[in-house]
Amino acid sequence: MVLFNRKGKTTSDIIFDCMIFVFCVFIFLIIAYPLYFVVIASVSDSTLVSTGKVLLYPKGFSLFGYTEIFKDTRIWVGYKNTIIYTLLGTFVNLLFTLPAAYVLSRQEFKARRFLMFVFVFTMFFNGGLIPTYLLMKDLHLTNNMWVFIVPFSVNVFNLIITRTFFESSLPKELFEAAQMDGCTHFQFFGKVALPLSKAVISVVGLYYLVGHWNDFFTGLIYIRDYSLQPLQIVLRDILISNQVFAEGAGSGGAAGGYAQKYADQIKYGVIIVSTLPILLVYPFIQKYFEKGVMIGSVKG
Amino acid sequence: MAFINAETKKINENLSSINSVKPTKKANVWNTFKRDYQLWLMILPAIVVIVIFNYIPMYGIQLAFREFDFTKGFTGGEWVGLKYFDQFIHNYMFKDLITNTITISLATIILGFPAPIIMALIINQVFGKRWKKTLQTTVYLPHFISMVVMVGLLNVLLSPETGVVGHLMKALGLGDINLLASEKIFVPVYVLSDIWQHAGWNSIIYLAALASVDPQLYDSAKIDGASRWQTIRYVDIPAIVPTMIILFILSMGNILNTGFEKIFLMQNPLNLPVSEVIATYVYKIGIISSQFSYSAAIGLFNTLINFVFLLAMNTIAKRFSNISLW
Amino acid sequence: MRKKKFVKGFLALSLSATVLAACSNDQAASDGKGSSGKTKDGKVQLTALITKHPLTQDLKKMKWLEEVEKRAGVDIKWQEVTADWDQKKGALLASGDVPDLIIGPNAITDADYVQYNGLFEDLSDDLDKSLPNVKKMFEAKPETKGIATQLDGKIYGLPKYQRFWPATATRQFINQKWLDNLGLKQPTNWDELYDVLVAFKEKDANGNGDPNDEIPMDFSPTGTGGFGFFQPTVLLGSTGITLGEGSGQGYYVENGKVKNFFTDERYKDFVKFLNKCYKAGLISKEVFTQDYTKYQSVARGNGDVAKVGYTYGWELTDRFGNTLAPQYATLAPLKQTADSTAKVTWTYDYNSLNYGANMITLSAQSTNKDAAMKFINELYDPKVSMQVLFGSMGTNIADNGDGSYKVLPPTDSKMDPGTWKWTSTWADNGPMYIADDLKLELGTDMQSVGKQTEPLMGAIDAIDKDNDLFPGMFIKYSKEDNSKLALNNTNLMNLAMPKYSQWITKGGIDKDWNAYVKNVEKTGLFENLKIMQKYYDDYMKNKK
């Protein structure tokens, strides 16, 4: 662990390093403890958890929460669907967004400002749920897996971020220089822009990926068949099934002691189950955030 | 090959013609199109998707000005103009709703905007690769916790009798304050827990920007004898300024958006005077009797204000820097 | 050159793929309208949606349902919704994409019938021919017909009647063991209750050596939309106010007049009493911030050491868990003061617990109405209804052979009967008619509730049901009035609930009262009272 590099340090730098160290530890603890709590709570007795008896280690250890979650066979269908929708969806997202962002970053493109306005406008004004639903119905996208992939494939926020990156890292001069050699926009995009933008592609790709992974609203409204539902819907169902309802007591027995004991385990277990895959994917993307990814591109 | 040369020649000709003489309007547009047809092709899929899925359903906005009549379809209802806007503005709750909404939003923006930036700058300074990765991974994890679980977590941890934070506060002698009960503390708890949950994730984009900084800049800074702090000020920060500006403009465009689920879950009778916002109000009047037109009107009102703010911010940004949305 | 072609070609390919996908019609994706196919053995195919309780098992596993479908000659494709129904409903209805049958407690509301005029089938003219069982229910229990009939005389949704539920949902419980430990008698009025609570707090009532771990009084978390079950508002019964339907937002009827207790002096007394208790540390400090899970957990104490002294709940084992339940007893309704002359009463929930509106609806666009109605009719046969409520014959109900039946205990011994019921079948979420003359012996949970309600029955039986009760379930409002009521109530709740919690925790009700009443007027409460009074008067007139 090399936190301090003693070579040529001034006092102010050492103080600086100390402060950074303190901050980092603070941030780490503040964030890590509740996450750790989630893990131990997912295997502890719920009653003990909600009365605050569980602090540093699990109490009343039981895997009921996880068995409940995994014995529901829908979860494997959910995992499968989500993986398909996420991979396919992210691919389409990038396919549409990256070229569009590139175009919008070219200052010589006359319609640039107008089109940007057209895109941004949709971030604010939309027709509402019902007209959108009717449109999906007319396009036969309801109860159909493509509703996860095509309709919302361009997220304007991500488009803007990508455009900003292209603007600052692909100046006009670069393209003009290439143009002299007979390069077209297509070629420039494919051969120069994309390789230089690994960082932003990773970020935007990650955003889209996580967007798909966490999406439960699309499935909620447009899908009827359980065989098409993504993971989040299944988890949400399991989660809500195991809450304890106040009105439930008389007109419903969910408050019965049996369900009571394990209710919260499921709540916390659900987080783990849904986050674990992302945790596995992230390290692969993270390496694109390393310093010095863009070596020697623009001189002067 | 010959094709490309002809293309290039045409492009060069157009470039020079634009620089020298002002052609007729018609020729200008056609030339532009011919020159830029590749760009148009590249942006076409995105335009098609947006037009179909965002612009076609936009006729739904006119519902805010009509009585929703199911038998007459979506556009057949009686035109009532500004009736529902009027109803909303003269509503007994209007002032409180707007005040609460703006308070929560502004607090979220003012505190929530710098947090990811600072976090990115700090993480960027960590030297050990492993530590940096661990820290990064840890801080973005809370983003994945769903709202229902997040609020449940808050209730457990912040409980004055049984929560960890409650115990801490008792140790500090502040045992009498119930963090979940007080009107005054609702907004800080809401905003701080929001930062806790999302700052890490939001810092990713700044970290990516910092990763694209040319290492030569760092080298020359060191050669010039810059301290770490000065390096941050003169190398790191300028690298992320474009991102900062764009994200800030966009967040100002959310001035009346507080998000519904978290506030709804955190509401209780004690904090209701400050926690009732436009989104929760619309939900409450909506579930009792599907008030489509009324909620459409409120939604449109909400959006218009947001949009005006966005326009204002964008114009200001354009004036003072050359970075803006359009 | 190649790159350009490649990119162009790829773009073209993806565009066409998109268009193809958009136009492709997945065969399995039905658009929900009544399918007009028949299965191989001649059964009619129907689509149905049910809003079921999350605990309920897969419908395919319910034997009684399989038998009912067979008898009606139908094969139903079920969509089972356990969460987020209000979000799904909007899109479903507005797009006209309605399944043949929709089942669930008030899944489609009276307001929806008006809003989506023409979407649902009027069943009032089908009673004689296709729905004889429903007709029998209407004749035996005329109130059910009242619940089902809309303002225009049509019937779009059928109600349920389940007969066995108690007259009130909220019972007040007190720890008898603590009373015995401290040599105290059960309190009979508010002042005595106060003294008992003080003793609980100061004298180590649970005898574990720690005088500070008792919570003398706890009540269920109050929502922001009004009061619900298991709230201290039941104490208003001591002042003579009979709560019932509508009391969540403060409405009640007294001597034929519709009133609201939020501006009543007696409500002021009630809040002052709670404030007095809170100030003395007798009420849990987390009473307004804990959620229902926590509320229930706390009451389960620590092993066999109880934590809570006086509280409200549905039934003893549900509230306190099996270990501690024996320590508690139901407390009879209290008087306000020792010499109070107000007629002591208690919340009356019989109607809301035993009747339900709009349990099942039929789509007007269905192409198989006859078959669907046959199915509906089967459900209302009391012998079938019994299984809708408790579960299949054989596993959940025993046929004694002599025309009487018995509800069986759960096959999983660790499960309580309530959870077992909800897991096995539709339970209270289904349409049903449990005839008064059906001989059915109930399970232990229902019997306990009955027994635990006995101390309250004196007050409940004395309620003048004609003049002191608001018949909320039987009143249908017009669309405009419904909107007005809803909007004004939202305003009222936003003002009254915070004040309620503030006065209890911080006091100051005397100081704030006059300004508060003026603000209440601004919320539109009086407009609501006028509207409700008009409908109440019309209803009472037509009843005669």
Side-chain angles (χ1 to χ4, degrees):
Chain A
M1 154 176 150
V2 185
L3 214 50
F4 297 101
N5 186 353
R6 283 288 153 76
K7 225 165 33 155
K9 284 277 175 193
T10 66
T11 336
S12 84
D13 275 355
I14 295 186
I15 296 181
F16 186 82
D17 278 344
C18 283
M19 274 179 30
I20 293 278
F21 182 69
V22 166
F23 270 130
C24 283
V25 171
F26 176 70
I27 294 177
F28 182 77
L29 285 178
I30 270 213
I31 297 197
Y33 175 70
L35 296 176
Y36 173 69
F37 180 81
V38 166
V39 173
I40 56 179
S42 67
V43 290
S44 304
D45 181 307
S46 300
T47 313
L48 294 179
V49 172
S50 41
T51 45
K53 301 279 186 336
V54 175
L55 281 178
L56 288 176
Y57 49 86
K59 283 201 187 134
F61 187 86
S62 120
L63 287 175
F64 180 82
Y66 288 108
T67 43
E68 271 303 290
I69 296 178
F70 284 109
K71 86 165 184 224
D72 191 335
T73 47
R74 297 177 300 171
I75 233 200
W76 302 110
V77 175
Y79 260 123
K80 178 189 84 162
N81 286 335
T82 297
I83 293 182
I84 296 179
Y85 300 153
T86 302
L87 289 179
L88 210 50
T90 308
F91 174 70
V92 170
N93 291 141
L94 290 175
L95 190 68
F96 288 4
T97 309
L98 293 175
Y102 171 75
V103 171
L104 291 171
S105 69
R106 298 298 95 204
Q107 290 184 330
E108 61 271 21
F109 185 59
K110 290 283 188 234
R112 179 175 175 230
R113 288 184 54 211
F114 169 70
L115 283 180
M116 190 77 245
F117 185 81
V118 164
F119 282 118
V120 171
F121 190 77
T122 66
M123 281 175 89
F124 293 87
F125 296 95
N126 68 71
L129 182 59
I130 312 279
T132 313
Y133 183 86
L134 290 173
L135 177 71
M136 298 298 179
K137 199 169 94 129
D138 289 336
L139 290 176
H140 295 289
L141 283 175
T142 48
N143 218 25
N144 181 332
M145 75 171 255
W146 291 98
V147 76
F148 289 102
I149 299 176
V150 176
F152 309 110
S153 43
V154 178
N155 176 309
V156 180
F157 181 78
N158 292 349
L159 181 68
I160 293 177
I161 295 180
T162 318
R163 183 204 75 161
T164 310
F165 266 84
F166 281 150
E167 264 178 352
S168 44
S169 62
L170 300 173
K172 210 160 75 147
E173 295 77 31
L174 198 62
F175 178 64
E176 283 173 355
Q179 233 182 4
M180 294 304 161
D181 294 337
C183 180
T184 65
H185 277 297
F186 282 163
Q187 291 174 319
F188 185 70
F189 180 67
K191 290 213 178 105
V192 182
L194 287 185
L196 282 182
S197 314
K198 288 208 177 74
V200 76
I201 295 179
S202 322
V203 171
V204 171
L206 185 68
Y207 278 2
Y208 274 128
L209 191 138
V210 169
H212 282 289
W213 189 265
N214 282 346
D215 171 35
F216 75 87
F217 192 74
T218 310
L220 188 77
I221 301 288
Y222 300 108
I223 302 285
R224 300 256 171 100
D225 273 336
Y226 251 101
S227 57
L228 292 173
Q229 290 290 21
L231 184 68
Q232 293 300 330
I233 296 282
V234 177
L235 289 179
R236 187 178 169 85
D237 256 14
I238 298 179
L239 183 68
I240 300 203
S241 304
N242 288 279
Q243 295 305 298
V244 178
F245 299 95
E247 265 64 36
S251 48
Y258 193 61
Q260 165 76 34
K261 212 157 178 273
Y262 302 107
D264 279 355
Q265 279 194 340
I266 302 201
K267 197 154 85 172
Y268 297 117
V270 158
I271 308 182
I272 312 277
V273 166
S274 105
T275 313
L276 217 50
I278 298 281
L279 242 134
L280 299 172
V281 167
Y282 186 72
F284 296 105
I285 304 192
Q286 197 179 31
K287 63 180 181 183
Y288 294 107
F289 301 167
E290 306 286 84
K291 264 198 207 159
V293 146
M294 191 167 120
I295 301 176
S297 60
V298 184
K299 299 268 192 223
Chain B
M1 262 308 147
F3 175 76
I4 294 208
N5 278 335
E7 268 287 290
T8 319
K9 252 215 301 209
K10 231 187 285 183
I11 290 176
N12 285 334
E13 274 165 12
N14 283 336
L15 274 174
S16 46
S17 67
I18 288 172
N19 284 336
S20 49
V21 167
K22 217 180 182 175
T24 62
K25 209 160 181 223
K26 197 159 185 257
N28 206 4
V29 170
W30 180 240
N31 282 341
T32 316
F33 190 72
K34 276 216 312 204
R35 183 193 70 191
D36 292 336
Y37 86 96
Q38 287 187 358
L39 293 177
W40 280 99
L41 217 54
M42 286 168 81
I43 201 174
L44 195 61
I47 296 184
V48 166
V49 165
I50 292 280
V51 165
I52 295 183
F53 294 101
N54 289 69
Y55 276 97
I56 291 188
M58 249 190 225
Y59 69 86
I61 293 186
Q62 47 88 45
L63 191 60
F65 304 100
R66 271 187 206 285
E67 289 286 357
F68 178 64
D69 190 337
F70 177 70
T71 51
K72 301 210 192 91
F74 236 70
T75 50
E78 175 199 336
W79 182 265
V80 291
L82 295 175
K83 163 177 164 193
Y84 286 110
F85 289 93
D86 223 31
Q87 188 175 358
F88 182 53
I89 296 182
H90 290 114
N91 186 327
Y92 166 75
M93 302 251 0
F94 180 72
K95 203 163 69 89
D96 289 330
L97 288 179
I98 296 279
T99 315
N100 291 345
T101 309
I102 292 191
T103 309
I104 295 183
S105 270
L106 265 183
T108 312
I109 293 178
I110 292 180
L111 291 175
F113 186 73
I117 299 175
I118 298 177
M119 196 177 271
L121 290 171
I122 292 182
I123 295 181
N124 197 43
Q125 292 295 321
V126 172
F127 274 114
K129 246 202 207 164
R130 246 186 337 127
W131 289 102
K132 191 167 173 186
K133 272 209 174 125
T134 318
L135 196 58
Q136 242 185 289
T137 310
T138 315
V139 299
Y140 81 67
L141 280 177
H143 175 81
F144 292 92
I145 303 180
S146 76
M147 240 3 130
V148 174
V149 182
M150 180 72 202
V151 176
L153 202 61
L154 271 179
N155 281 337
V156 171
L157 293 176
L158 262 49
S159 150
E161 300 297 313
T162 56
V164 168
V165 178
H167 287 152
L168 270 174
M169 289 185 60
K170 270 207 211 137
L172 292 172
L174 296 169
D176 270 345
I177 305 180
N178 184 345
L179 284 175
L180 301 168
S182 153
E183 260 184 55
K184 303 194 204 62
I185 307 199
F186 176 75
V187 176
V189 169
Y190 177 83
V191 174
L192 288 175
S193 59
D194 219 50
I195 293 180
W196 179 88
Q197 193 178 6
H198 299 297
W201 180 256
N202 291 338
S203 72
I204 291 185
I205 188 169
Y206 293 111
L207 278 169
L210 288 170
S212 313
V213 171
D214 191 348
Q216 290 190 340
L217 288 172
Y218 286 117
D219 291 336
S220 30
K222 228 189 285 185
I223 293 174
D224 289 344
S227 73
R228 296 277 291 282
W229 170 241
Q230 285 174 318
T231 317
I232 292 186
R233 258 189 83 190
Y234 296 112
V235 181
D236 285 345
I237 293 190
I240 55 179
V241 160
T243 314
M244 273 168 63
I245 295 185
I246 295 286
L247 287 181
F248 186 72
I249 299 178
L250 286 175
S251 64
M252 279 320 254
N254 278 329
I255 192 109
L256 280 188
N257 288 352
T258 51
F260 159 76
E261 212 177 347
K262 185 170 179 189
I263 298 193
F264 186 68
L265 291 170
M266 284 177 76
Q267 275 182 346
N268 63 46
L270 287 170
N271 61 36
L272 197 61
V274 291
S275 62
E276 185 75 334
V277 294
I278 296 181
T280 50
Y281 180 75
V282 170
Y283 178 74
K284 284 179 189 162
I285 58 171
I287 43 172
I288 300 175
S289 46
S290 320
Q291 302 252 26
F292 280 127
S293 298
Y294 193 32
S295 27
I298 299 182
L300 189 59
F301 175 83
N302 206 339
T303 305
L304 276 168
I305 307 250
N306 282 345
F307 198 61
V308 163
F309 263 88
L310 182 88
L311 286 173
M313 282 296 134
N314 194 52
T315 318
I316 294 179
K318 244 202 317 214
R319 277 274 298 268
F320 290 104
S321 73
N322 46 13
I323 299 172
S324 65
L325 282 180
W326 69 83
Chain C
M1 178 72 134
R2 267 202 311 169
K3 187 78 182 233
K4 181 165 109 172
K5 261 220 196 121
F6 176 67
V7 175
K8 257 203 188 124
F10 203 47
L11 274 176
L13 197 67
S14 27
L15 263 181
S16 36
T18 312
V19 172
L20 268 174
C23 293
S24 77
N25 195 352
D26 184 3
Q27 264 309 89
S30 63
D31 44 355
K33 291 217 192 72
S35 34
S36 50
K38 278 194 189 255
T39 62
K40 277 185 274 212
D41 37 6
K43 291 221 194 108
V44 177
Q45 277 191 321
L46 296 174
T47 52
L49 183 147
I50 178 168
T51 57
K52 68 175 194 186
H53 194 281
L55 275 179
T56 308
Q57 67 180 344
D58 217 322
L59 261 55
K60 288 202 271 290
K61 300 202 192 123
M62 296 178 193
K63 211 164 65 132
W64 66 263
L65 183 58
E66 209 186 302
E67 291 169 5
V68 169
E69 285 188 34
K70 224 191 306 195
R71 286 201 294 272
V74 297
D75 180 31
I76 302 185
K77 185 159 188 267
W78 289 98
Q79 185 185 351
E80 305 174 38
V81 175
T82 50
D84 298 314
W85 169 238
D86 349 300
Q87 304 210 42
K88 289 194 162 120
K89 184 164 84 154
L92 198 82
L93 296 180
S95 64
D97 223 7
V98 182
D100 293 312
L101 295 166
I102 297 185
I103 297 177
N106 217 14
I108 308 289
T109 64
D110 295 341
D112 290 330
Y113 298 135
V114 180
Q115 177 92 295
Y116 301 102
N117 197 10
L119 206 52
F120 297 101
E121 176 74 11
D122 173 23
L123 298 167
S124 55
D125 49 6
D126 299 300
L127 291 174
D128 292 323
K129 198 171 64 127
S130 322
L131 300 168
N133 287 333
V134 178
K135 185 154 176 242
K136 266 198 225 130
M137 172 174 74
F138 283 168
E139 285 169 357
K141 293 256 156 224
E143 318 79 86
T144 52
K145 190 156 188 212
I147 296 177
T149 314
Q150 303 300 318
L151 277 181
D152 57 4
K154 304 214 172 82
I155 295 182
Y156 298 108
L158 296 174
K160 68 166 176 175
Y161 170 63
Q162 51 188 99
R163 172 182 160 206
F164 289 115
W165 264 247
T168 181
T170 308
R171 270 149 286 286
Q172 61 181 358
F173 299 124
I174 193 162
N175 192 318
Q176 187 63 49
K177 185 147 168 259
W178 288 9
L179 289 174
D180 295 338
N181 285 353
L182 300 176
L184 297 168
K185 284 218 305 280
Q186 284 192 348
T188 57
N189 61 50
W190 293 7
D191 298 315
E192 286 179 18
L193 175 64
Y194 181 82
D195 293 333
V196 164
L197 293 176
V198 170
F200 281 169
K201 177 170 186 327
E202 295 176 349
K203 298 205 180 114
D204 187 25
N206 60 17
N208 69 346
D210 179 357
N212 288 326
D213 68 339
E214 286 86 358
I215 298 178
M217 174 167 163
D218 202 1
F219 49 84
S220 160
T222 318
T224 56
F227 295 107
F229 297 148
F230 322 134
Q231 304 264 299
T233 37
V234 291
L235 288 177
L236 283 171
S238 316
T239 64
I241 297 180
T242 306
L243 301 176
E245 296 179 71
S247 301
Q249 274 97 31
Y251 298 100
Y252 68 101
V253 168
E254 201 169 42
N255 290 329
K257 286 223 104 31
V258 179
K259 301 186 185 160
N260 188 299
F261 62 63
F262 277 113
T263 46
D264 195 298
E265 285 291 320
R266 292 170 286 181
Y267 169 73
K268 204 171 162 198
D269 291 339
F270 156 70
V271 173
K272 268 161 86 171
F273 172 68
L274 287 181
N275 174 238
K276 183 170 158 215
C277 293
Y278 190 85
K279 255 201 330 232
L282 304 176
I283 305 184
S284 162
K285 282 232 165 342
E286 306 206 33
V287 79
F288 286 108
T289 56
Q290 62 190 352
D291 61 9
Y292 191 71
T293 316
K294 179 104 183 274
Y295 171 66
Q296 291 282 76
S297 302
V298 168
R300 276 154 170 73
N302 204 349
D304 53 0
V305 175
K307 273 282 166 90
V308 177
Y310 166 76
T311 182
Y312 311 97
W314 169 253
E315 187 265 331
L316 289 174
T317 54
D318 163 272
R319 179 82 186 94
F320 302 107
N322 288 327
T323 327
L324 295 178
Q327 292 188 15
Y328 293 85
T330 310
L331 190 59
L334 303 169
K335 284 167 63 166
Q336 190 173 352
T337 58
D339 51 5
S340 154
T341 51
K343 184 172 127 186
V344 172
T345 173
W346 194 256
T347 46
Y348 186 71
D349 302 310
Y350 185 79
N351 290 342
S352 41
L353 291 176
N354 283 293
Y355 295 94
N358 300 325
M359 304 302 290
I360 186 166
T361 57
L362 175 61
S363 161
Q365 297 154 346
S366 169
T367 48
N368 294 301
K369 295 200 187 126
D370 290 325
M373 284 197 277
K374 224 160 148 217
F375 177 76
I376 297 178
N377 193 48
E378 276 290 325
L379 293 174
Y380 280 96
D381 176 342
K383 292 209 199 59
V384 177
S385 290
M386 176 172 70
Q387 299 179 71
V388 171
L389 184 55
F390 288 114
S392 303
M393 199 76 76
T395 45
N396 297 66
I397 304 182
D399 184 341
N400 297 333
D402 57 358
S404 72
Y405 304 89
K406 183 169 136 88
V407 174
L408 297 169
T411 51
D412 177 350
S413 58
K414 275 193 264 120
M415 207 184 269
D416 62 277
T419 310
W420 171 242
K421 173 187 83 167
W422 282 102
T423 321
S424 315
T425 179
W426 295 356
D428 306 42
N429 280 14
M432 65 183 90
Y433 168 50
I434 308 284
D436 286 337
D437 55 8
L438 181 72
K439 295 202 222 11
L440 176 65
E441 188 188 327
L442 298 170
T444 51
D445 59 330
M446 294 301 301
Q447 296 190 18
S448 322
V449 173
K451 254 207 309 258
Q452 291 164 27
T453 314
E454 275 165 30
L456 305 169
M457 287 315 287
I460 293 180
D461 287 333
I463 297 177
D464 179 353
K465 300 198 178 58
D466 285 325
N467 289 315
D468 287 341
L469 221 45
F470 186 70
M473 192 150 266
F474 307 104
I475 293 191
K476 312 276 176 216
Y477 300 103
S478 76
K479 179 164 169 226
E480 294 78 40
D481 287 334
N482 208 8
S483 297
K484 279 206 205 99
L485 288 173
L487 288 173
N488 290 338
N489 278 339
T490 311
N491 292 341
L492 177 64
M493 287 301 102
N494 275 330
L495 170 65
M497 297 314 288
K499 278 290 176 210
Y500 167 76
S501 54
Q502 190 195 331
W503 286 329
I504 293 182
T505 51
K506 299 208 190 81
I509 188 172
D510 286 318
K511 203 164 42 99
D512 294 340
W513 189 254
N514 289 330
Y516 162 78
V517 171
K518 279 217 193 53
N519 279 331
V520 167
E521 285 173 33
K522 289 209 210 111
T523 64
L525 172 61
F526 293 136
E527 185 184 26
N528 277 12
L529 287 173
K530 263 213 328 259
I531 294 177
M532 290 168 82
Q533 185 73 50
K534 178 163 111 24
Y535 280 88
Y536 175 77
D537 290 337
D538 286 339
Y539 171 78
M540 294 307 281
K541 211 166 38 172
N542 291 332
K543 226 170 75 144
K544 300 285 185 278

